[in-house]
Every structure is written in C-alpha cells, then in structure tokens.
Amino acid sequence: MRKDIEIPEVKDVYIVAVKELHADYKTEDWNAYIINDGNEPLEMVLLVVQGYDDKDMTTHMRHTIKILPAKGFAKIEFMEESIFRLNNFYSVTYFLHNKMYEKRFEFPAHSIMDDNAVNVPVMGKLGVIAK
C-alpha cells in the first residue's frame, strides 16, 4: 500500500555554485559542487543536470560519485555563464544506511550571481545555494 512506503527526507546535502579563480586561465569561473554536511558518508551518488526555459533546453549531463565523505564536498562541473539565463536543476540520488534518497535542487534563472552569494557549509567559501 502507498501508506506503507517510507520516503526518507534529504538532509544536510546541498548543491552550490561557487566562483573560483582558474589557475591556468586567470579567470573567475563558476563551478557546481555537491556538499555532504552530514556525519555519514553518502554512497553511489548519482546526479542528472539540465537547464531549461520556455524555448531552450540543455542536454542531460550525468555524474557519479562513488563515496562522498561526511563533511565533504565534490566538484560536479564547470558552469558556463550562458546557462545562467535558464532554470538549472540537479537531480541527486544517493544511498545512506541502505536506503535510497532523492531530491531535485534548482537554481532559478538569473539566480547565480555575486549578489546572491552566502557562506556555504563545509567549504568555507561564498556561493549560491540551490533551492
């Protein structure tokens, strides 16, 4: 029965966009990261990334992280600034204590900018946190 299905709530996991200096090109680039602010490592993290609006849609990008340590983070991808006009979503699935967790994080169009940057957990840097 549907009432018997337990859907665990995702806690202490974040998707963030962080502006960083690229050492080789001497440019400031936005990069997407996944953060595990929990006390347990996440196993088999699967990410599906896509941007869209009424007219345009990017291709699906898929990423896998075998283990994301507790209080750790991992770079997902470089974010080209031309996609900031789109709604960008990150579907995250992972296993914790033999249970599967899933959540969709979204950066609304035009939300990735310096004015929206806050202190992000674990990394100790400024960034934009996806909703």
Side-chain angles (χ1 to χ4, degrees):
M1 298 306 248
R2 286 183 125 178
K3 64 180 176 71
D4 297 324
I5 297 173
E6 179 188 341
I7 301 173
E9 180 183 354
V10 171
K11 295 180 182 175
D12 301 323
V13 175
Y14 306 94
I15 299 293
V16 299
V18 177
K19 195 176 206 180
E20 300 173 306
L21 179 65
H22 190 286
D24 294 337
Y25 299 112
K26 307 292 187 239
T27 58
E28 287 194 338
D29 300 329
W30 287 93
N31 295 296
Y33 285 86
I34 182 169
I35 297 174
N36 176 12
D37 194 20
N39 294 320
E40 299 286 334
L42 308 180
E43 299 175 4
M44 192 50 70
V45 181
L46 306 170
L47 299 113
V48 178
V49 182
Q50 187 174 30
Y52 66 92
D53 67 8
D54 294 337
K55 300 183 297 185
D56 298 313
M57 183 180 297
T58 66
T59 186
H60 284 86
M61 298 295 291
R62 292 174 177 83
H63 307 276
T64 304
I65 303 167
K66 290 187 180 189
I67 300 285
L68 184 58
K71 303 295 182 185
F73 59 91
K75 184 176 177 180
I76 302 169
E77 63 185 4
F78 162 76
M79 301 178 79
E80 168 60 45
E81 289 191 26
S82 65
I83 66 165
F84 295 170
R85 67 179 179 78
L86 304 173
N87 297 302
N88 291 282
F89 74 86
Y90 291 73
S91 293
V92 178
T93 305
Y94 62 89
F95 289 90
L96 178 64
H97 302 296
N98 292 322
K99 288 186 182 178
M100 185 171 80
Y101 291 74
E102 184 174 35
K103 183 172 180 179
R104 178 179 157 146
F105 296 88
E106 187 166 352
F107 291 109
H110 306 289
S111 66
I112 301 173
M113 63 176 71
D114 291 328
D115 292 345
N116 292 339
V118 296
N119 285 319
V120 296
V122 179
M123 293 182 75
K125 295 183 176 184
L126 289 177
V128 179
I129 300 175
K131 304 287 180 208

